[in-house]
Amino acid sequence: MGLRVLVVGSGGREHALAWAMARSPLLEKLFCAPGNAGTASVAQNVGLRAEDVPGLRELALRERIDLTVVGPEAPLVAGLADDFRAHGLIVFGPGTAGARIEGSKTFAKEIVNAAGVPTGAAAEFTMFRSAMAFVEEQGTPLVVKADGLAAGKGVFVAMNRSEAEEALRACLVERRFGDAGSTVLLEEYLEGEEASLLALVSDGHVLPLAPAQDYKRALDGDRGPNTGGMGSYSPVPAVDAQTADFIVEHMIRPTVAEMERRGIAYCGVLYAGVILTAAVPKCSSSTAGLETPKHRCSYLGCGTISWNCSGRWRAVNRCPRKWFGNPGRAWASSWLPPATRPGVPRGMSSRGWNRPNGKRESKCFTPALPIATRLWLLTEGGCWWSRLWVLISHRRGNGLTPE
């Protein structure tokens, strides 16, 4: 008998995960909750929201799920993994204590500082005036971060005083992000190329995936606002095997060790956002989410990960050298509103990686696409303004044509 697996979430991230899992010979049955039009092609979608912990638990028990993989960060912060484990269910994702590294940027900074991870200086504030006084004293550029979950939209790169003030007003005065922005982190601006690395973590073992790099700011020349990511590619030319090993040994492993020192048994994905400064790579963010779309192209190169009955895998202690030279590319075309970039949102497409037989392969992953017709798919979520803009485009007769 093979494994019965449940993937929680509805985005392109979950489509990518489901697609990769569906290729495994170990799989018997794959469920996605709620899934989307893309996951429906490789799994059985179930109409349960990712935040419906009791409903998901009942589904997992009823369908005899062997392994649950949680994509979104919000259910993890809300305690889905703890609930599942309390009922004897195996889940890949940190409990509430570990998920704090995703749910609070100030806590994440506290962890990496205590672990001795190279990172930028930072200070936290809850009052607008004191935060602005800090800006006046320290100067710009700097980075303004809403402390809590803001769907990837709570980070502002402020290149001057007015941009810093605008970001602080959005968080602390206008409360644009609700409680998630009631505390802000003002961080040192790190100069250099950005990259990131995901690692699978369980029982102190670390299995790194391929480094990736995404496109954060809208418009050509990085002139637009910061986004949750508009596509990515992997591997990253600037991250060779030595640099990847540095990230694992000086960022990922110390962070895992510090959480274990605090009694946090971390099981799930640990993400390290890195700025390749001239001196040394520095950690710009450390989170618990299966980042999207940044590492969607990383999944393309993944082979089968063998799980035993305890939900653990064979430990891999070093970054596999095979990651460096098997290129994949994920991109999103024109999902921003017309004020930023004209166009109709489309699926997240990963293309251009080489198969073992030397042939090239491509795959389109769909972000939160629950509505499918003979000609079109409509997004109901995903990055930024996608829901509103696609619905407007559809009503004007501009269907969303898959690649």
Side-chain angles (χ1 to χ4, degrees):
M1 296 291 287
L3 291 175
R4 297 172 66 84
V5 179
L6 169 64
V7 174
V8 176
S10 62
R13 160 184 47 202
E14 286 72 39
H15 185 190
L17 288 168
W19 172 82
M21 291 178 180
R23 304 171 77 186
S24 171
L26 302 178
L27 185 71
E28 175 188 330
K29 180 78 173 179
L30 182 60
F31 299 86
C32 285
N36 61 40
T39 60
S41 65
V42 294
Q44 178 181 328
N45 285 350
V46 181
L48 292 171
R49 295 181 301 106
E51 297 79 14
D52 184 1
V53 175
L56 292 171
R57 182 211 316 135
E58 182 181 341
L59 168 68
L61 293 170
R62 182 178 68 249
E63 295 294 341
R64 298 173 288 107
I65 297 298
D66 298 299
L67 172 67
T68 298
V69 179
V70 185
E73 56 273 8
L76 294 173
V77 174
L80 184 150
D82 290 331
D83 183 278
F84 270 44
R85 291 182 180 118
H87 289 82
L89 296 166
I90 295 173
V91 57
F92 182 68
T96 304
R100 280 190 68 198
I101 203 168
E102 175 76 39
S104 171
K105 294 180 181 64
T106 55
F107 176 73
K109 181 63 75 171
E110 176 189 325
I111 290 287
V112 297
N113 279 332
V117 173
T119 186
E124 65 177 281
F125 297 91
T126 58
M127 302 297 293
F128 174 76
R129 287 185 178 179
S130 56
M132 280 304 302
F134 181 86
V135 172
E136 298 286 0
E137 178 184 346
Q138 297 295 320
T140 54
L142 51 74
V143 181
V144 181
K145 296 183 177 181
D147 177 60
L149 296 177
K153 313 306 183 294
V155 177
F156 306 85
V157 180
M159 302 305 294
N160 53 55
R161 183 191 180 282
S162 63
E163 289 180 354
E165 181 178 358
E166 182 180 354
L168 288 170
R169 284 191 179 279
C171 294
L172 299 175
V173 179
E174 301 171 8
R175 303 298 297 272
R176 189 179 302 173
F177 305 106
D179 290 340
S182 60
T183 299
V184 296
L185 200 65
L186 294 182
E187 281 194 348
E188 174 188 358
Y189 176 80
L190 300 175
E191 185 72 42
E193 195 167 344
E194 182 185 28
S196 64
L197 189 144
L198 291 182
L200 312 183
V201 179
S202 179
D203 291 340
H205 298 304
V206 173
L207 174 62
L209 299 184
Q213 188 174 74
D214 70 352
Y215 311 102
K216 277 293 186 188
R217 302 186 72 172
L219 304 180
D220 292 339
D222 289 339
R223 290 178 288 108
N226 198 51
T227 73
M230 299 183 296
S232 62
Y233 62 88
S234 177
V236 182
V239 181
D240 56 16
Q242 183 178 1
T243 303
D245 283 342
F246 181 93
I247 295 170
V248 173
E249 299 301 328
H250 294 273
M251 296 182 190
I252 299 289
R253 293 192 192 279
T255 300
V256 173
E258 175 61 23
M259 285 193 285
E260 288 186 339
R261 190 187 69 79
R262 298 180 180 218
I264 301 172
Y266 195 91
C267 176
V269 165
L270 192 61
Y271 162 90
V274 181
I275 301 296
L276 305 174
T277 70
V280 66
K282 291 189 176 182
C283 182
S284 59
S285 60
S286 185
T287 65
L290 280 160
E291 292 296 304
T292 180
K294 184 172 293 185
H295 281 270
R296 208 163 301 167
C297 51
S298 297
Y299 307 150
L300 301 177
C302 288
T304 299
I305 296 174
S306 297
W307 292 76
N308 63 25
C309 59
S310 298
R312 302 182 178 93
W313 59 86
R314 298 187 189 128
V316 175
N317 294 320
R318 294 182 65 80
C319 232
R321 294 306 190 268
K322 68 179 181 179
W323 291 131
F324 306 98
N326 185 27
R329 179 164 57 92
W331 56 273
S333 76
S334 304
W335 49 259
L336 295 174
T340 313
R341 182 174 180 179
V344 178
R346 300 193 178 191
M348 296 302 304
S349 176
S350 295
R351 54 175 60 186
W353 79 98
N354 294 322
R355 300 175 62 184
N357 60 11
K359 295 182 179 179
R360 295 179 71 77
E361 187 174 351
S362 64
K363 182 66 181 175
C364 180
F365 297 128
T366 55
L369 300 169
I371 306 171
T373 70
R374 187 166 59 90
L375 294 178
W376 303 312
L377 294 174
L378 293 182
T379 179
E380 194 184 59
C383 299
W384 238 24
W385 286 70
S386 56
R387 178 184 302 187
L388 173 63
W389 182 234
V390 171
L391 292 178
I392 291 174
S393 300
H394 180 64
R395 293 193 177 193
R396 289 178 178 173
N398 299 323
L400 180 61
T401 306
E403 294 290 345

